[in-house]
């Protein structure tokens, strides 16, 4: 890091936001790998603050050439998320996804949820290039902006709520 730079590791910023949240955490990300480690501090915070609302917007994709029914891909995502991406014995977050990402290739190019941000308690916003992966949180050179900006947090939340309200994002139903 250059001398005098106001730079912190992405993982440090995200963990600090998780650990300081008292009301809500909203996460949007494209890729999640090594989630048990990345979300451990959030899971611990959920245990210590039982009323903490946690909402995630995540991409569920159709692998290239995969013609499985969308329900099968969603079930695989659920199983992988529970078993490999979320700390055990902690309530699951509310997860939303864009069903267009599951459309078959012959229907045209599908959409993907590619935004990456964290909002804590409706006022602190971290917008970043980083995915929720070990590499992005610890090793990659990523860029992000952390801001105490309630209006921006509100606009992001309203935009994604509008996507839900208009049927563009669907809630994952945990079985």
């Amino acid at each position: 890091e250059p001398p005098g730079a106001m730079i912190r590791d992405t993982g440090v910023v995200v963990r600090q936001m998780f650990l300081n949240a008292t009301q809500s955490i909203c996460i949007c990300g494209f890729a999640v790998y090594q989630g048990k480690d990345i979300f451990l501090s959030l899971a611990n915070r959920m245990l210590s603050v039982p009323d903490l609302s946690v909402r995630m917007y995540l991409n569920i994709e159709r692998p290239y050439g995969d013609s499985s029914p969308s329900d099968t891909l969603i079930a695989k995502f659920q199983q992988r998320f529970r078993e490999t991406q979320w700390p055990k014995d902690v309530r699951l977050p509310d997860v939303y996804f864009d069903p267009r990402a599951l459309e078959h290739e012959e229907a045209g190019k599908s959409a993907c949820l590619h935004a990456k941000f964290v909002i804590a308690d409706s006022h602190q916003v971290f917008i970043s290039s980083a995915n929720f992966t070990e590499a992005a949180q610890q090793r990659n050179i990523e860029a992000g902006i952390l801001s105490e900006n309630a209006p921006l947090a509100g606009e992001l939340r309203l935009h994604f709520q509008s996507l839900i309200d208009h049927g563009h994002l669907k809630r994952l139903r945990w079985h």
Side-chain angles (χ1 to χ4, degrees), residues 13-121:
V13 172
V14 170
R15 273 191 308 280
Q16 191 171 46
M17 291 178 76
F18 293 165
L19 292 172
N20 291 331
T22 59
Q23 299 168 350
S24 64
I25 289 287
C26 181
I27 297 167
C28 187
F30 172 69
V32 176
Y33 299 105
Q34 297 91 22
K36 279 189 179 181
D37 295 331
I38 294 166
F39 297 130
L40 181 60
S41 58
L42 175 57
N44 288 334
R45 189 65 175 166
M46 290 169 74
L47 290 171
S48 66
V49 182
D51 291 335
L52 185 68
S53 168
V54 178
R55 180 179 278 195
M56 293 184 172
Y57 302 102
L58 300 175
N59 192 60
I60 302 176
E61 66 182 336
R62 173 176 297 284
Y64 181 77
D66 189 329
S67 60
S68 303
S70 295
D71 290 346
T72 300
L73 297 173
I74 292 167
K76 285 181 182 179
F77 175 88
Q78 288 175 308
Q79 181 180 6
R80 184 180 77 83
F81 189 86
R82 274 190 173 129
E83 293 177 3
T84 67
Q85 304 305 317
W86 192 250
K88 192 175 180 174
D89 299 326
V90 179
R91 71 179 157 88
L92 292 161
D94 293 333
V95 174
Y96 292 82
F97 66 98
D98 186 339
R100 296 174 300 167
L102 297 170
E103 291 176 1
H104 290 282
E105 295 162 20
E106 56 269 9
K109 294 202 182 248
S110 62
C112 76
L113 206 160
H114 202 260
K116 300 162 197 89
F117 63 80
V118 177
I119 301 170
D121 293 337

Side-chain angles (χ1 to χ4, degrees), residues 3-14:
M6 296 293 293
I7 296 173
R8 293 188 287 168
D9 285 341
T10 300
V12 171
V13 172
V14 170

